[in-house]
Amino acid sequence: MKQYLQHHEWQIIEEGFNPEYNEISESVCSIGNGRMGQRANFEEQYSGDTLPGSYVAGIYYPDKTRVGWWKIGYPEYFAKVLNAPNWIGIDIAFDGEQLDLAHCKVESFRRVLDMQKGRLERYVTAQFPDGRRVEIASCRFCSIADDEIGAIRYSVKPLNFSGTLSITPYVNADVINQDSNYGEKFWVEVETKTKRSQAYITAETKKTEFQVCTGMRFSIFQNGVKVNFDSLRVHKEKYAGRTVDIKCEKGRETVVYKYAAVVSSLNHEKAELLERCQEAVKRAHDKGFEVLLQEQADAWAAKWEEADIRIQGDVAAQQGIRFNIFQLYQTYTGEDERLNIGPKGFTGEKYGGSTYWDTEAYCFPFYLATADQHVARNLLVYRYRHLQKAIENAEKLGFSGGAALYPMVTMNGEECHNEWEITFEEIHRNGAIAYAIHDYIRYTGEKEYLAEYGAEVLLGIARFWAQRVHFSQPKQQYVMHGVTGPNEYENNVNNNWYTNYIAAWCLRFAGESMQYVKETAPEQYSALAGRTNFKEQEELRRWAEIAGNMHFPADAQLGIYLQQEGYLEKEILTAADIPAAQRPINQHWSWDRILRSCFIKQADVLQGMYFFEDHFSEEDIRRNYDFYEPRTVHESSLSPCVHSILAARLRKEEKAYEMYLRTARLDLDDYNNDTEDGCHITSMAGAWMAVIKGFGGMRVYDDTLQFSPMIPSQWNAYAFKLRFRGALLQVKVTKEQAIVRNLSARHLDIKIYGNLFTVEAGGDLSVGLR
């Protein structure tokens, strides 16, 4: 763990320059608006350790899969999240000497991510090798009020000298990905255009031929007075910039306002990109920095009004949950059904692809409860739009008859992940997509979604599971061989309990859903059956037979379900037996050693118990939790939140709190020594779930919203808001009671600790804490 960032309720503060942690800070302090994003790189040049990163939603490069021996069904490419043209650059030089903090003595340094207002600030005092001292102050943001716009206020002040200040604002498409093969670059220049205070560059991606136009306009002020200047064009390939030389005096501040826009061919015709970019830049410039900044603050205030979680008495916990919510809203707004939630969001390029199973298993509940209903619906429609691609993915692996295998990683519905054990074996992702449909209907009550979209997706998924299993004569049950569960530290196993369990559940749910559509929407059912060649009696009978006779490995003596067959044949140790110097094991052990160990990367059996908690007794959950939690190393960002939720369910308060902090502060404290690659965006929704579903005990059963609240001893109180079926509730939990306030104009029946209450419109309900 690294704990160099200060605790603050609304801000992420780095006090003092930490060049060895700079790439971590660049990840943590990233900014975005759902359409584009930017790592917290410096505006001026920096030759120290840095990972430059600017990203545009939906833009990718299909890097050809490279293997020594091609395997049937292998994805043709790996979808790289592209480092896009840089819009933040402002080079600074004094009398020809470039400002570069790597070559300066940094006397003071303060980097602040203001989550409440949605902006990144930096304050620096630095000394050049010859003794000249300067002050730098910058403030920038990606506007969520106008998602094509970014803006920067950048000031410099010489403290003990006067001279000539050279300012070069620019946009640059000559960028490279950190994971580029052989230094390959992915952008080709289409057009550049500059004039006195403006610069534009249109660049196109190789192969995919996406086009992005990045533009900027700048103005300069000294002592509050706008400077009239001449500028020189800087001539470079895939670069558009202008240099201004002006006199600077000791103690006089020079301020650069830079207004930028990023527009892509996803949203505009290619022939119109330059014009649209110029319009967006003009829109920003005409409003001015202060107006844009206020619009940004107002837009974030509206988001916080809906989704904030307030924790009293624990600043680290408060900062952690707000950081997670902030990054989630920077990554995805839900307004474009073509987009999804990548595991790094706009904070890094690692992993590739725009969505994993993380979206349905972790992110979906957050948007379901905090945003308008159409946002969660769009996440489901995204998968429906990719159904035909999922069927094609299954066909490549030898499945037929409309069987659908959704990709582990995708940009456009095609599988684009090229690690064998994940691409071919981690098929449990199908179950998460089916579960999200179930979760949506259970939470919203909108069963009509089944007839419109959901049943067809479930049909394809059920057909896949029906072909993927086989009947074991010795066991006289259906089994599944050669799979990898959520726990990726065990590959190519037989009868992974979680995969078998969710497959059986999917088959039952698909059958029930088809029957429901037949009864309630016969015309749509008939059309669905016709276009999918659904053989009702034959397929429903087989699904029921498999679901009722699936093999679930278990150990009767211990009273637990087994991760997979043979798990107890390993050397059964606990994570406490691993020397601290060897953690995380994925950075110290060989893959062979990891696979042979009993150690679990993330919840697997417990993941299933979290999803289907109502299928198991509390004693079942407790026995499995007590066995598996000590053997889990939590080296997946998706693991701690599930453990926190179940620990709260079992009233293991200290463990629930420990796991909450681990998920909420995973990146802030760099628990797994990997934040420099980017933040773990999808796991951030798990922190929200740990509060709402864990400590708040929120569930929906029998069409009723239910709570079983508890409070960690470290907290004085906590509060959150939820949308539920047209109602908006505020829940506050103190040491003594839970208070539910109905902020809507309709009454709502809820349960607390299993007891039914009616919360009147505009009314309050107080229940003593148990």
Side-chain angles (χ1 to χ4, degrees), residues 364 368 372-378 380 434-450 725:
F364 190 76
L368 191 59
D372 187 79
Q373 188 168 313
H374 80 278
V375 173
R377 204 174 200 273
N378 275 348
L380 297 182
Y435 187 83
I437 295 172
H438 165 74
D439 207 18
Y440 177 80
I441 293 168
R442 176 174 61 181
Y443 197 88
T444 66
E446 191 198 332
K447 290 188 176 181
E448 296 79 11
Y449 181 80
L450 286 173
R725 302 194 182 186

Side-chain angles (χ1 to χ4, degrees), residues 7-52:
H7 292 178
H8 187 284
E9 290 188 349
W10 279 109
Q11 297 177 349
I12 310 300
I13 302 170
E14 180 183 9
E15 192 74 59
F17 191 40
N18 301 281
E20 70 277 21
Y21 297 153
N22 186 53
E23 292 181 38
I24 298 172
S25 297
E26 288 178 340
S27 296
V28 168
C29 295
S30 296
I31 55 175
N33 62 13
R35 185 71 63 188
M36 64 177 180
Q38 173 68 49
R39 284 172 61 86
N41 311 123
F42 301 156
E43 290 86 359
E44 75 277 0
Q45 289 188 19
Y46 182 65
S47 58
D49 290 338
T50 181
L51 176 59

Side-chain angles (χ1 to χ4, degrees), residues 196-403:
R196 180 175 171 272
S197 62
Q198 299 180 56
Y200 301 88
I201 183 163
T202 303
E204 183 174 87
T205 59
K206 297 177 181 179
K207 294 186 180 179
T208 43
E209 298 180 344
F210 294 113
Q211 285 191 6
V212 171
C213 185
T214 307
M216 65 93 183
R217 182 173 177 177
F218 67 95
S219 55
I220 301 173
F221 288 74
Q222 286 187 328
N223 287 350
V225 178
K226 189 173 184 179
V227 175
N228 291 318
F229 56 80
D230 293 321
S231 66
L232 295 175
R233 179 183 177 183
V234 182
H235 294 272
K236 293 182 185 179
E237 183 184 4
K238 295 187 282 190
Y239 178 102
R242 308 289 298 194
T243 294
V244 177
D245 290 335
I246 58 175
K247 293 296 182 181
C248 63
E249 296 181 6
K250 183 175 70 172
R252 173 183 287 185
E253 182 183 54
T254 300
V255 180
V256 182
Y257 291 101
K258 182 177 182 182
Y259 305 96
V262 179
V263 299
S264 81
S265 56
L266 281 180
N267 304 301
H268 302 284
E269 294 296 326
K270 290 181 180 179
E272 300 176 354
L273 277 183
L274 176 58
E275 183 180 355
R276 299 287 86 80
C277 189
Q278 289 173 325
E279 290 173 354
V281 168
K282 184 177 186 301
R283 197 162 64 239
H285 175 269
D286 290 351
K287 285 186 177 181
F289 188 82
E290 294 303 325
V291 171
L292 292 172
L293 194 65
Q294 187 60 52
E295 289 181 348
Q296 175 80 341
D298 292 344
W300 271 107
K303 288 192 176 295
W304 287 118
E305 179 63 26
E306 285 196 342
D308 189 22
I309 293 176
R310 300 187 303 279
I311 297 172
Q312 297 178 17
D314 189 340
V315 176
Q318 177 69 89
Q319 182 186 47
I321 193 61
R322 282 183 172 145
F323 175 68
N324 285 261
I325 294 170
F326 179 73
Q327 290 292 0
L328 283 164
Y329 273 124
Q330 289 199 132
T331 301
Y332 182 76
T333 62
E335 299 307 317
D336 189 336
E337 67 183 38
R338 299 170 301 170
L339 303 179
N340 211 281
I341 307 159
K344 293 294 182 184
F346 296 122
T347 71
E349 64 199 43
K350 189 178 179 182
Y351 295 135
S354 68
T355 186
Y356 287 48
W357 74 292
D358 309 19
T359 290
E360 284 76 22
Y362 293 85
C363 301
F364 190 76
F366 170 77
Y367 292 100
L368 191 59
T370 63
D372 187 79
Q373 188 168 313
H374 80 278
V375 173
R377 204 174 200 273
N378 275 348
L379 287 172
L380 297 182
V381 171
Y382 176 90
R383 293 295 194 177
Y384 174 80
R385 303 291 186 213
H386 289 172
L387 177 58
Q388 187 54 45
K389 289 287 187 183
I391 292 172
E392 293 171 12
N393 291 336
E395 288 174 348
K396 291 175 184 177
L397 301 184
F399 296 88
S400 60

Side-chain angles (χ1 to χ4, degrees), residues 29 60 72 112 116 149 173 236 281 290 325 333 357 359 373 385 398 403 411 459 524 601 611 637 710 726 732-733 758:
C29 295
Y60 69 97
I72 299 300
V112 180
Q116 187 173 27
I149 287 173
K236 293 182 185 179
V281 168
E290 294 303 325
I325 294 170
T333 62
W357 74 292
T359 290
Q373 188 168 313
R385 303 291 186 213
M411 277 290 190
L459 172 60
Q524 288 171 284
K601 182 182 181 185
F611 270 168
S637 64
M710 64 176 292
K732 182 175 183 179
V733 181
T758 298

Side-chain angles (χ1 to χ4, degrees), residues 85 100 132 145 174 242 264 388 394 432 473 492 569 588 758 765:
D100 181 344
R132 289 182 296 173
D174 190 22
R242 308 289 298 194
S264 81
Q388 187 54 45
Q473 288 295 338
N492 197 33
E569 295 172 17
H588 294 89
T758 298
L765 168 70

Side-chain angles (χ1 to χ4, degrees), residues 475 481 490 492-497 551-555 560-572 595-598 627-628:
K475 287 185 171 63
H481 286 187
E490 292 173 306
N492 197 33
V493 302
N494 295 336
N495 292 313
N496 170 260
W497 181 87
H551 177 60
F552 304 118
D555 184 86
I560 62 170
Y561 298 105
L562 297 181
Q563 289 273 113
Q564 71 275 331
E565 288 182 340
Y567 178 79
L568 291 180
E569 295 172 17
K570 297 179 177 232
E571 183 181 12
I572 302 300
L595 292 177
R596 287 187 287 107
S597 79
C598 71
F627 181 81
Y628 284 114

